[in-house]
Amino acid sequence: SPQSRSSAASDVYKRQDLQPLTLPENGELSKTSDQPREQPASDGPWITIIRWFDSWAGIEKMQTDTAPPTVDWLRAIPLIIVHLLCLGVFIVGWSWVAVGVAAGFYFIRMFAITGWYHRYFSHRTFKTSRACQFAFALLGASCAQRGPLWWGGHHRHHHIYSDKPEDTHSVRQGGFLWAHIGWISSKKFFPPRLKSIGDFAKFPELVFLDRFDTLVPTICGFGMFGLGKLLEAYAPSLGTNGPQMLIWGFFVSTVALLHGTCTINSLSHVYGSQRYKTGDDSKNNFILAMITLGEGWHNNHHYYAASTRQGFYWWEIDITYYMLRGLQALGLIWDIREVPAHVREGKNKLA
């Protein structure tokens, strides 16, 4: 049983009996005022550069609620560079193994985002141990989508204000490009919403990953380069090398992963169908569900965010849910939350 497994673990990595978030029938979170107010003086360029490495530097002075919703181009430089480095494919060429590693790394890290950053840290739809929690937070940190506290806190805020003026990323309010990627580099949304993610902000290992959010991606980049060098030396017939594996296995995979995730903020609020009346523009979209391992059933999710499963019916493919069920069978997670039949067929169903 989970209890017997956890009792054998160390005191540091004991079982986490975090209770599911207290949610009303529609699965939404209660409103909180969780952003610190902007300080009168704006941040200088040097503190912005320091935040490339320590994202919590000067956190008490970060511009937040009253900062304009515009892109901070200095902060965005690393994001731009990562995109430009993908053009390196025209220099390093390609091989089947490099493309395969890129695809595999995309898949496993997308699961870290969808199953853990989203369904666990943001919505707490299942339980796990502290060790497993950290392991998947570490994998999620490799995605270069900030830390689990930042990701989860802002996502909870999004569910409170979905497509309203206060929404973090709304096509209706800010336009397509803003909702897709522009908001990420805004000073307004740069700090973590620690009060809304306080249930996880109490873990120092998660705070470390969140604060130094470029550390794990950097290590992954060097790891991919090293993998390529090893294959070049010991399996030259594969036709790959360090630079090629770095470009494909890390940069191309990471950029594709970022934009795959961002489609849920943008495309899934524009294209698709609505099964439920949710008061926002969330849509169900099969193609996006395939790209994101099940996140494309976005209208379902906004209707009942308390469920681990986002594909409410058997024909709505939800790969993340299947993988989480696999982890439950292995005893790594438990108490997966399903969609009650009366909720799935509730009065807000449009068709």
Side-chain angles (χ1 to χ4, degrees), residues 134-329:
F134 176 69
F136 280 97
L138 192 68
L139 183 59
S142 73
C143 302
Q145 295 185 24
R146 304 287 305 273
L149 305 181
W150 180 89
W151 207 107
H154 279 286
H155 187 74
R156 291 179 181 185
H157 180 85
H158 163 66
H159 270 266
I160 296 170
Y161 300 108
S162 183
D163 286 324
K164 295 179 175 64
E166 301 90 343
D167 192 0
T168 308
H169 42 71
S170 169
V171 175
R172 183 195 299 180
Q173 301 296 333
F176 183 87
L177 287 177
W178 176 260
H180 186 75
I181 200 168
W183 73 278
I184 295 173
S185 294
S186 171
K187 285 184 177 180
K188 186 177 182 68
F189 305 118
F190 180 77
R193 294 182 177 273
L194 294 178
K195 288 186 179 179
S196 68
I197 196 77
D199 45 340
F200 289 111
K202 65 185 178 181
F203 297 109
E205 64 272 24
L206 299 183
V207 170
F208 179 85
L209 290 177
D210 207 82
R211 179 169 185 171
F212 302 102
D213 54 23
T214 59
L215 177 62
V216 177
T218 300
I219 293 173
C220 283
F222 279 105
M224 279 295 174
F225 182 84
L227 174 63
K229 295 296 289 184
L230 285 173
L231 293 177
E232 182 182 18
Y234 295 103
S237 61
L238 295 176
T240 192
N241 53 55
Q244 185 185 85
M245 193 62 74
L246 172 64
I247 295 297
W248 281 98
F250 182 72
F251 288 112
V252 172
S253 176
T254 299
V255 169
L257 177 66
L258 171 64
H259 288 286
T261 304
C262 289
T263 62
I264 304 304
N265 298 336
S266 55
L267 290 173
S268 69
H269 280 254
V270 178
Y271 300 106
S273 60
Q274 282 199 323
R275 173 180 289 129
Y276 301 104
K277 183 179 180 181
T278 55
D280 58 26
D281 299 327
S282 59
K283 307 286 197 302
N284 287 338
N285 187 303
F286 172 79
I287 295 175
L288 297 182
M290 296 301 97
I291 292 172
T292 60
L293 311 186
E295 298 293 293
W297 308 117
H298 201 52
N299 180 242
N300 293 352
H301 174 60
H302 270 257
Y303 172 64
Y304 192 71
S307 170
T308 307
R309 185 172 189 167
Q310 295 188 10
F312 284 5
Y313 295 88
W314 67 265
W315 61 85
E316 294 177 335
I317 300 172
D318 188 350
I319 297 172
T320 295
Y321 172 73
Y322 309 148
M323 294 177 71
L324 290 172
R325 286 295 298 267
L327 291 182
Q328 181 171 252

